[in-house]
Amino acid sequence: MAPVIGHSNPTPAAIGALLPKLSDADADIRYMSLNDLDSLLRAGAPSFLLNDYHTCAKTVECLLKTLDDSNGEVQNQAIKCVGSLTQKAPSDLLAPMIEKLSTLKTANSIDNSIPATALRIFLTSFPRPIAGIQPAKSTQDAYSALSKVLIPRLVGYVVMSHGVKNHGSPPTGMLEVRDDNTVDNDAIDVLIELIRCFGPMLQDAEKKALQKSTMAIFDHERTGTVAKKKAVAAISLLALYMSDALLSSFISNIIESFNNPHLTPAQHRLLITMMGSLARTVPRRFGHYVKTLAPFILSILSEKEYQTALEDTAENGAADPEREEVREAALLALEAFLLSCSNDMRPYTDKAIEAALRFVTYDPNMAGNGDDEDMASAEDDQAEEDEADPVDEDEQDFEEEGAMSDDDDASWKVRRCAAKALYAIITTRSNGDLLDDGTLYQKIAPVLIGRFQEREENVRLEIMSTLTALVRKSSDNTATLFTFAGETEFELASIVEARSQKRRRLGSDATLFESTVHPLSILGFKSPDASPPPSSGPRADLARLSSAIIRGVSRLLKQSTLATKQSGIVLLREMVTVQRGGLSEHFSKIADPLIDAINSPTGGPNSQSIGTTASATGGRLRIEALQLMSAVCDNHSSTLIAPYAPRLVPIMTAAVRDKYFKVSSEAIAAVESLVKVLTPPRSGSREQASRHLVGELYAVVLDRAVAIDADVEVRQRAIHALGVLLARGSGSSKGRVLSESQGRQATVVLLDRLKNETTRMAAVKAIDVFLTSLQDATSIQEKWTQDVALELGAQLRKANRGVRGASLTALRDLVGNTVALSHLNDMSVEALTGMVLPLVSPNDLNLLGISLIILSRLVRRSPSRVVNSNFNDTICEIVVAPLAGAVLEALLVLLKAIGEKEVGTQQLMQKLLQNVGVNGDPAIVGKAIGTLLVSGGPSVGVKLDDFVTELRSAPDDKRRCLALSVLGEAGLRLGSSSPLKPDVFTKYFNSQSQSLPRAAATALGRAGAGNINTYLPIILSSTSQAGSSQYLSLHAIKEILQFSSQARADISPYTKQIWEKLLAASQIEDNRAVGAECIGRLTVIEPKTFLPSLRAHLQNATPSVRGMAIQAIRFTLSDNDERFDEVLRPLLIIMLTTMLNDDDLENRRLALGALNSAMHNKSEMVLPNLADLIPLVMKESRLKPELVREVQMGPFKHKVDDGLEVRKSAYETLYTVMEGAYSRISPLELFDRILAGLEDEHEIKVLCNLMLSKLVVLDPEETSRHLDSVAERYRSILAFKPKDNAVKQEVEKLDEANKGVLKVTLQLQDVVPASVNSGGNLQSEKWKGYWDWVGKEFKAQLASVELEVKSQAA
């Protein structure tokens, strides 16, 4: 039968024409008619049936008949039609429709759940109401019908009269226990859907009635287990919408039930299960009752009950299965309490740990149960025994101990739940808590290690996953500085150490762009030192247990299942990563099984679940093994790994060729790490012996790099590995492992891959790695260098910003390498200049800084091909931009290079003077002209005296400011040879101009930094004068101190005098900020003299003096002088604690800024004592009502929060601590402050959004537990509507807040467990409702934000 669709505007008549066909004898006709009916109902306007009650009623009757159809497909189609009709039917028809559906009896259908399914479709057809927001009219009409009909049908009596006096007696309630002691499970499903869809609209009387009917299912002894489990879900969902009074009454009844001495084990188990479910569903409200309910749970798991059970088991010969089920439920509830109500469970920490440890070793089928702790603790003795008496594999083969297994034994479930409870303790109480005080490693870890011998694999996997979580939490977790493919934590540390040697003084800012030392050129050049573990802390605790862990894992790797091997390898990898080594003494124990794992077959799609970790497959095992091997190579000495290289190379080359792309890709990454081991200088004198091994690796990497059939990810990894091979094999001056022909072949491949769209980015990075390590001119050809340079330059025009940035960085490193730069001819230099110049724009400062450095290198190589009229115009455009910091220093480096080469300097100077002049910022333009003036000498066409004359005769202040800036820069660069005298500048201190005195002070300071002995005495004499001269002299001193590292010897005789002058001048409020900066810079010069004095000022009775000292200390923290750090190290924590405890509100705000700076610049000093500082920061992040005052502004009253700025600083500090040391801060306290901040002022909300976006990456598991709380606060933010008379700034601020919320909402949705989206998890039910609401109410804004996020990621 052909469908009758085609109505663009369906009418009731079209519906009526289809209804007779629903009774046709042919099932196909009935099905197709229903399909057409559904299409018509969906296509029709919302009101097309509202005025035709007869047609609607007839349609309902026909649908009811088809619901009882004998054909299942017809029934399913009829259910769809019920949903479509519900949305278009008149409100008067809803109640009768519910009545008929709820009383429908199926006579022709085998499936009795059809009526309930139709009711659920009916419920889900309406827009969901949201608490606090007016529901849609259709939803209100639906709720009215449900309240009148469905709820009475469910409970069996009328709950609310709705103005009707005589309702009659409703039939038996759908939730009532029937005569055969059964309950309609489908009715409970309807109840769950009713609560989920209309929970916010239910009245207290209805909630109470539904609760009573649901609890009746629990109380009846003969109702089935399935029904009771569904009832638990219904009660938990209903708790979301219970009032506080109703929830309190309900939990009070539960507590009374716990006290019932006649409670059966089955009832006991269900009550415990319900408590665990409630803890997950309403954690914040449930937390108030934990102190009452936790003892009930813990009593079931107590030592007394445990011993009693053991005695009963010994007497009866078997464990009581019902008792085991109660224990399992209690441990699951304990886990829920720990995860959802962690703060409320703190008083029960010790008992919870004891209970979990007690039952993780519980095994009534094993003799000597409970002795595992002793076995694990005797590490050293056992290690010696292992060496003297090797373990018999037959005795250790857990998988074949068939005599120990018992099909009826359910104790393994208890042990698994106990392991999960321990996992909950570790994940919620580790950071800055039980991990730091040693509890987790002293109490829990030894027991977990002892349970490696667990005979039940599900339990063993859970135990290993728990221990892995503990090891992972032990990481220092310092801030991620940057990321390059293939680099390791050890190698990053070496880079940070190298960078810390640089001082932030003149010209050093430009090194941020100019530095040509690519991290990967140092990576792996030196074998990691076998440094001893810390003396205390989590890593020290881990080091003490490493031997026992490795010994236990090595046994498992030899004869366990695939899943256990994978878990063991993951555990070892985490240990190596956290300890940055740790296998030096034990690698021989795991080498053979690790090599076997790498060589294991990838296998098919079949997988084996391994608990909380990923599923186990042959391919996944190989990937984990390769990652472990890569970590071993990166974090251990080459002498440890080299003996195994002949065995490793063949299996790694085979893994690289594997058909499964993930295995192949990971194998290439491992090859990179192995290459560093086998090549100089790490290989020492073994490079000749390893030449053929490197050759094999080179061949397979080259093959994958050019293979057409290889996956894109594999080719990209191979290309990068090829760059590492070139850098290590041919770029070292200590020995060449690759032949010249191999090197040239690889370079040709890299150039070819650079021209390919899919491999371009990988090729750029690979070439960058190679060029930054290049030392031998014979390693590359001139033609290749020129082609690569031009191809990289061509990429600068690409729209992809990532490609542009990577190509520009590679160009910087190319021209920064003297060998590569010498291969560029004049034509190449000229072409590159034309390609780079378009990036010389203030629109992107990162690209601008690198571009300027590249141009400065090219100027030194071939100035005549770079400097031309177009180049000069570009420089003039940049000079007028508001540049600062590293970008400005890069510009001055370029101008200095131009001046030294004396090419086009006169033309450039003329353009700077005529075209730029006073059009730009005099401070920036003056520095540019002054740099060119000194470096260019006579070639620039103007003299220093010309600017002195200009200063005297200029008709306006702006030209004088420019002249002063030029003279100050010239004086700095000329040094002691400068003819300028201080009075050239000081005479303008008393000018009536607003800008001239400040410009004169800055110029005086810069000129004085070049000639301290001449200038500083005069500046100091001015400091004694009151008024503006004193203030301006302080600015001059500040400029001098900025360059003190270059003239430390010259400034040393004056330091004491400067100190005294600064302290005296800083007493004046206007001088305090600049005076504090000067004091801080002076303290860095002579820390032993001035830092103790500065510390003493923190105890001064005057708040302003203490504030000045705090500011000064903050300025010292940005310096990287080693002498200063030695003096600062023992004093920093003491000073920070003193500052944060200051009585003055403003001083505490400054102290928080100092701590923030310390975390950025002196994190290695702060982290060991961070636990003492965090509570002080948390304290300042709280809203203090006593600081909120009411101010009268005309006829209006306005609230002023004096503590807002302090709170803002506290949240900024928390963000820094979270980003740089998340493992040292309690996630519970952090989320508590974030949730409070989302209800604070706009600025703090923005910071909290940033914190949440970071936590999505740092701790997705903990973040997912707080989704409901976040959803409540986000909904209130988005639902807020500004007043009609709101000013433009308020509207813009609100739009910004909404955009930020939507952006973080998208990120948070990614961490939502899959069970939430599928409706199987009640814990994040509020988040699911919030997500649906946002998707409907903010659809356009959400799509816009999503598009913006994707474009930024690209």
Side-chain angles (χ1 to χ4, degrees), residues 550-607:
I550 296 169
R551 187 169 58 250
V553 172
S554 64
R555 294 172 182 166
L556 295 175
L557 292 179
K558 292 176 182 177
Q559 57 262 323
S560 290
T561 62
L562 192 70
T564 299
K565 288 181 179 179
Q566 182 173 318
S567 293
I569 289 174
V570 171
L571 173 57
L572 290 176
R573 189 194 67 216
E574 293 295 337
M575 287 180 59
V576 172
T577 303
V578 170
Q579 298 183 105
R580 304 183 186 96
L583 296 184
S584 298
E585 299 178 2
H586 310 282
F587 186 66
S588 59
K589 295 180 180 179
I590 67 167
D592 289 339
L594 179 57
I595 291 173
D596 291 340
I598 296 175
N599 199 32
S600 62
T602 299
N606 295 329
S607 65

Side-chain angles (χ1 to χ4, degrees), residues 391-401 452-453 457 460 551-565 593 596:
V391 180
D392 188 341
E393 293 188 4
D394 293 335
E395 294 178 1
Q396 291 295 327
D397 193 353
F398 316 130
E399 312 310 320
E400 297 179 3
E401 290 181 350
F452 280 1
Q453 64 175 330
E457 185 168 38
R460 184 165 65 248
R551 187 169 58 250
V553 172
S554 64
R555 294 172 182 166
L556 295 175
L557 292 179
K558 292 176 182 177
Q559 57 262 323
S560 290
T561 62
L562 192 70
T564 299
K565 288 181 179 179
D596 291 340

Side-chain angles (χ1 to χ4, degrees), residues 1064-1087:
S1066 298
Q1067 301 300 316
I1068 301 173
E1069 185 175 356
D1070 291 343
N1071 298 341
R1072 194 165 296 139
V1074 63
E1077 183 175 354
C1078 293
I1079 290 171
R1081 297 189 184 281
L1082 188 60
T1083 302
V1084 175
I1085 298 174
E1086 292 190 12

Side-chain angles (χ1 to χ4, degrees), residues 329-549:
L331 286 166
L332 287 173
L334 179 63
E335 179 195 7
F337 285 15
L338 291 167
L339 289 174
S340 304
C341 310
S342 302
N343 282 326
D344 302 288
M345 281 294 292
R346 282 182 179 272
Y348 306 99
T349 299
D350 292 338
K351 291 184 179 180
I353 293 175
E354 291 171 3
L357 292 178
R358 184 177 299 120
F359 285 98
V360 81
T361 60
Y362 169 70
D363 193 347
N365 282 354
M366 294 285 288
N369 173 50
D371 295 335
D372 300 304
E373 298 90 336
D374 297 333
M375 293 174 59
S377 62
E379 299 168 23
D380 297 333
D381 296 340
Q382 185 63 43
E384 294 175 2
E385 292 174 10
D386 286 347
E387 295 295 334
D389 184 18
V391 180
D392 188 341
E393 293 188 4
D394 293 335
E395 294 178 1
Q396 291 295 327
D397 193 353
F398 316 130
E399 312 310 320
E400 297 179 3
E401 290 181 350
M404 291 294 184
S405 63
D406 187 350
D407 293 338
D408 297 327
D409 176 30
S411 63
W412 67 270
K413 296 180 181 179
V414 175
R415 297 194 298 276
R416 185 181 64 179
C417 293
K420 288 184 176 182
L422 291 173
Y423 183 90
I425 293 171
I426 290 171
T427 54
T428 58
R429 297 292 306 280
S430 56
N431 299 14
D433 195 353
L434 300 181
L435 186 63
D436 290 346
D437 66 15
T439 300
L440 298 182
Y441 273 107
Q442 293 170 11
K443 290 186 176 181
I444 296 178
V447 178
L448 293 176
I449 297 169
R451 293 307 301 172
F452 280 1
Q453 64 175 330
E454 168 65 47
R455 60 192 177 88
E456 183 65 39
E457 185 168 38
N458 285 333
V459 183
R460 184 165 65 248
L461 294 174
E462 201 67 54
I463 287 170
M464 297 185 72
S465 175
T466 302
L467 185 59
T468 302
L470 176 57
V471 172
R472 190 179 295 117
K473 289 284 186 180
S474 306
S475 171
D476 285 345
N477 196 30
T478 53
T480 303
L481 302 177
F482 35 72
T483 303
F484 294 97
E487 66 190 39
T488 66
E489 192 173 352
F490 165 79
E491 295 161 339
L492 288 176
S494 66
I495 298 165
V496 176
E497 183 179 357
R499 288 190 171 188
S500 67
Q501 308 302 321
K502 299 178 181 178
R503 291 179 53 80
R504 299 177 183 179
R505 291 295 179 258
L506 177 63
S508 65
D509 283 341
T511 60
L512 294 176
F513 298 120
E514 189 175 8
S515 174
T516 59
V517 182
H518 193 290
L520 283 177
S521 66
I522 338 172
L523 299 187
F525 268 24
K526 178 184 176 183
S527 290
D529 297 326
S531 57
S535 58
S536 61
R539 288 181 58 205
D541 296 333
L542 174 60
R544 284 189 283 270
L545 293 175
S546 291
S547 177
I549 295 174

Side-chain angles (χ1 to χ4, degrees), residues 177-415:
V177 181
R178 294 180 287 218
D179 294 338
D180 58 354
N181 295 322
T182 61
V183 176
D184 186 359
N185 292 335
D186 298 323
I188 305 178
D189 291 335
V190 172
L191 170 63
I192 292 173
E193 206 63 55
L194 170 67
I195 299 170
R196 180 177 283 118
C197 296
F198 290 88
M201 300 183 72
L202 294 175
Q203 302 300 308
D204 281 350
E206 295 170 330
K207 297 172 190 173
K208 195 169 184 178
L210 294 173
Q211 170 201 319
K212 181 180 178 182
S213 296
T214 308
M215 290 303 298
I217 300 173
F218 284 107
D219 296 335
H220 201 284
E221 295 183 0
R222 297 183 179 275
T223 51
T225 304
V226 174
K228 289 183 177 180
K229 286 183 177 180
K230 288 186 176 183
V232 169
I235 284 291
S236 302
L237 193 58
L238 186 62
L240 281 171
Y241 308 104
M242 287 183 183
S243 63
D244 291 339
L246 189 57
L247 182 63
S248 176
S249 174
F250 173 64
I251 293 180
S252 297
N253 293 334
I254 297 296
I255 294 172
E256 291 180 8
S257 299
F258 272 119
N259 291 319
N260 182 3
H262 303 294
L263 200 64
T264 65
Q267 292 173 325
H268 206 172
R269 174 173 56 82
L270 286 169
L271 288 174
I272 294 171
T273 302
M274 187 184 300
M275 291 301 98
S277 184
L278 286 174
R280 290 185 174 93
T281 308
V282 285
R284 285 187 168 271
R285 297 166 66 197
F286 186 81
H288 302 301
Y289 308 98
V290 163
K291 63 182 179 181
T292 305
L293 292 168
F296 288 113
I297 304 299
L298 293 171
S299 65
I300 301 169
L301 306 172
S302 65
E303 177 66 22
K304 180 180 178 181
E305 198 279 340
Y306 177 74
Q307 293 298 334
T308 301
L310 289 180
E311 293 173 3
D312 293 345
T313 300
E315 181 179 347
N316 299 327
D320 183 1
E322 290 189 336
R323 177 177 276 170
E324 303 283 25
E325 290 178 354
V326 172
R327 286 174 175 170
E328 180 187 358
L331 286 166
L332 287 173
L334 179 63
E335 179 195 7
F337 285 15
L338 291 167
L339 289 174
S340 304
C341 310
S342 302
N343 282 326
D344 302 288
M345 281 294 292
R346 282 182 179 272
Y348 306 99
T349 299
D350 292 338
K351 291 184 179 180
I353 293 175
E354 291 171 3
L357 292 178
R358 184 177 299 120
F359 285 98
V360 81
T361 60
Y362 169 70
D363 193 347
N365 282 354
M366 294 285 288
N369 173 50
D371 295 335
D372 300 304
E373 298 90 336
D374 297 333
M375 293 174 59
S377 62
E379 299 168 23
D380 297 333
D381 296 340
Q382 185 63 43
E384 294 175 2
E385 292 174 10
D386 286 347
E387 295 295 334
D389 184 18
V391 180
D392 188 341
E393 293 188 4
D394 293 335
E395 294 178 1
Q396 291 295 327
D397 193 353
F398 316 130
E399 312 310 320
E400 297 179 3
E401 290 181 350
M404 291 294 184
S405 63
D406 187 350
D407 293 338
D408 297 327
D409 176 30
S411 63
W412 67 270
K413 296 180 181 179
V414 175
R415 297 194 298 276

Side-chain angles (χ1 to χ4, degrees), residues 942-962:
V942 292
K943 300 178 181 179
L944 188 65
D945 292 340
D946 295 334
F947 292 97
V948 176
T949 304
E950 175 74 7
L951 177 62
R952 294 171 183 165
S953 60
D956 57 78
D957 291 342
K958 201 163 187 181
R959 294 181 186 278
R960 290 178 181 175
C961 289
L962 176 59

